[in-house]
Amino acid sequence: MSYSIAFIAPYKKMGELFSEICQEFNKKIIIKIGDLEEGARQAVELEEQGAIDVVISRGGTAIAIKKKVTNLPVVEVQISGFDLIRALHQARKETNKIAVVGFYPFTYGIKGLGDIMNIDIEIVTLKENWYEHTLYVEKKLKEIKKQGYNWIVGDNISVEIAERLGMNTVLVESGKEALMQSILEAERVAEVRKRELEKTKRIKSIIDFAYEGIITVDQNGVIDTFNPQAVKIFEKEAYKIIGKNVNKMFPEFDFSKITKIGQKIEGKIWTVGDIKIVANIIPIRINDETVRTVVTFQKVSQVQKIEQKIREKLYLKGNVAENTFNDIIGRSQIFRNLKEEAKNYAQIDSPVLLYGETGTGKELFAQAIHNYSPRRNKSFVAFNCAALPESLLESELFGYVRGAFTGAKKEGKMGLFEQAHEGTIFLDEIGEISQNIQARLLRVLQEHKVRRLGDDKVIPIDVRIIASTNKKLIQLVKENKFRDDLYYRINVLNLDIPPLRERKEDISLLVNFFIKKYGYKFKKIVEGISEEGMQMLENYDWPGNIRQLENIIERLVVRTDKNFIMTNLVKEIMKLQYGGGVIDNYQKQDNINYPLSGNLENIEKNIIKEIINEEKGNKVAAARRLGISRTTLWRKMNNKQ
């Protein structure tokens, strides 16, 4: 980090000593000679030129510079104890009656030094602005001269006036140690100042070019920031606002009440004059005291326009994949393996075919694959092939030109394959498309080109295909309902997403996730579900899979009036939705009725095996039905009592 430092020496000898140090340590520092007012004038000149970041000086000259410059930091050369002792020792050779003249804190504690050195010391502490009134210094020196003090130890101006009065003098000179220390301090100050200036400019740039209006108010209610966007929104010049009380300029805000509360306010809508704004108010608090308040705001109309554009460009078109592999919940081994396989597929551009029953999460996997792939920053276009008749499906997938058919838009329309260019297209329920659409889709996959309806030219596309179905496509191929060449084209990579009944150990995880999700959505505190209620959900086969389970949990969270979902409510909802057979089956499963032949150990082992078989190998569910822990189940299975 580059910066520039200047040293203004009160007298020539100090300047020469400083120059020696700079040469010795290879320091490039501007050196000027000037005492008091002359030194201050030179500092002001350097500041106006923007030539330096920090100035170094000593004594009264440093004080004079501080009073004249506005934004320039001043580092004072400190007079060390060694400097003063050297001067006193020199004067002590001639007399033991010495007056020390200087300003605070230079004169602080010197009396005790006189006792140590056996010197009668008179302390003359000058006023801070003594350099403006040399007559004051002359008067003080005459007074101590009458008291018999003819030897003066002090700085440059004190020594000059004392010599004019015929007094003996010793100048307190700063040694190399003090001068070097001042250089190090000046470098530290310069570096900090540069960083602060850079930070200030960066913050100012952010404020000035922010899309939102920004107002900051100090603890006295005075506005000290009013950025260009605020000027634009309120149509008021900044110079007419800054420095004024916020309650007078914007009484609608009721800032005195806001400051008193000291809490953050988000999304608050105010009417200021005839302008409606939506604002965030953020109090900056230090030690429980609001020291400043920041207001950021936009016109309500502008927020509405932006929201509409976002909806039109992204969400209404479905061109965003919101879910990742972190959103796919499951701890069963079969499901963990499936996710790892899907992650591997994500890195390859080959088509992926997802098979799974309704509600297993096929689109969730499609989105996760896209977001894990190199195409993650491009479009994700999802389309349900079963949602439209053939005539509309063709125009949606491939687009059309002006006049392609009756009712076509004058400007034509871009198809979904074009919208997904460089990204991913997800064709849900691909088994529902007709033979005609299958033929066109096959050509797109083979040639990586698309032809709009009514057009005579083709458009190159770069699209990754993910398709899904809940039907066995190979069976449709055998029945001549699905083209075998298209089937082999889309079935390069495939994932078979298991139904929920084949991974029942994931049910409790999903139940707790959905309870939290809908508890947050409906602003209800629901901590969990009863153990019996959970068993009931785990023992059901869930033909609608995760979607069906989620719907049930949503109803349970809505209906519960307690912090815990109770068993009776689960029974009621399950009976209401799926009939009494669901509960009857659950209750029958808990009535263990097996042959009790053989010794106790064999009977126990047979019961455990039967329960595990009924739970299709799910040992977690088996342990829960038996009322024992998984560890105990494992021990009993392995004959370890």
Side-chain angles (χ1 to χ4, degrees), residues 358-518:
T358 299
T360 51
K362 296 186 290 295
E363 184 167 354
L364 197 65
F365 266 91
Q367 292 186 16
I369 289 170
H370 171 78
N371 281 328
Y372 202 75
S373 76
R375 296 174 182 263
R376 65 179 66 88
N377 295 321
K378 301 297 181 180
S379 298
F380 175 85
V381 178
F383 183 72
N384 189 324
C385 298
L388 295 174
E390 181 180 341
S391 57
L392 292 177
L393 181 62
E394 191 172 16
S395 64
E396 283 295 315
L397 286 174
F398 310 114
Y400 58 82
V401 295
R402 178 177 181 176
F405 52 85
T406 303
K409 292 181 180 179
K410 291 181 180 180
E411 66 275 16
K413 183 178 180 181
M414 180 187 294
L416 297 179
F417 275 96
E418 290 180 68
Q419 292 180 33
H421 179 59
E422 295 186 335
T424 302
I425 187 166
F426 172 56
L427 301 175
D428 194 13
E429 304 302 347
I430 196 170
E432 301 295 331
I433 62 177
S434 67
Q435 294 274 349
N436 177 47
I437 302 295
Q438 289 177 33
R440 290 207 60 180
L441 181 57
L442 178 63
R443 182 172 292 275
V444 171
L445 293 178
Q446 288 174 334
E447 299 179 357
H448 302 287
K449 295 176 183 176
V450 66
R451 187 193 303 271
R452 293 186 182 184
L453 291 178
D455 204 355
D456 58 358
K457 65 178 184 291
V458 293
I459 301 168
I461 56 166
D462 172 20
V463 176
R464 200 264 177 86
I465 306 286
I466 301 178
S468 76
T469 181
N470 60 2
K471 296 182 176 181
K472 293 291 184 180
L473 288 187
I474 191 64
Q475 185 61 36
L476 295 180
V477 170
K478 292 176 182 178
E479 296 170 2
N480 293 322
K481 293 179 181 179
F482 200 87
R483 295 178 63 111
D484 57 352
D485 47 6
L486 178 60
Y487 172 71
Y488 294 116
R489 185 59 83 161
I490 63 174
N491 193 29
V492 179
L493 307 173
N494 57 69
L495 291 173
D496 193 347
I497 303 173
L500 197 53
R501 61 182 173 275
E502 292 181 9
R503 55 184 189 102
K504 287 194 172 184
E505 61 202 275
D506 291 336
I507 289 177
S508 61
L509 197 65
L510 288 162
V511 167
N512 290 322
F513 172 78
F514 291 136
I515 287 173
K516 289 180 181 178
K517 175 182 175 179
Y518 288 105

Side-chain angles (χ1 to χ4, degrees), residues 173-219:
E173 296 182 290
S174 295
K176 284 189 174 183
E177 307 89 359
L179 294 177
M180 189 61 209
Q181 189 61 41
S182 70
I183 292 174
L184 296 175
E185 177 64 13
E187 288 176 339
R188 187 192 67 79
V189 171
E191 188 171 345
V192 170
R193 183 171 184 264
K194 278 281 187 182
R195 287 178 180 169
E196 288 300 317
L197 286 174
E198 182 187 348
K199 183 178 177 181
T200 301
K201 287 179 180 178
R202 186 167 65 247
I203 293 171
K204 188 177 186 305
S205 296
I206 292 170
I207 291 172
D208 287 349
F209 292 98
Y211 190 73
E212 296 180 314
I214 299 174
I215 299 174
T216 62
V217 182
D218 69 15
Q219 61 189 134

Side-chain angles (χ1 to χ4, degrees), residues 130-142:
W130 63 276
Y131 59 88
E132 296 175 351
H133 307 285
T134 53
L135 291 176
Y136 168 78
V137 181
E138 189 174 329
K139 177 184 175 184
K140 284 290 183 182
L141 291 176
K142 286 179 178 178

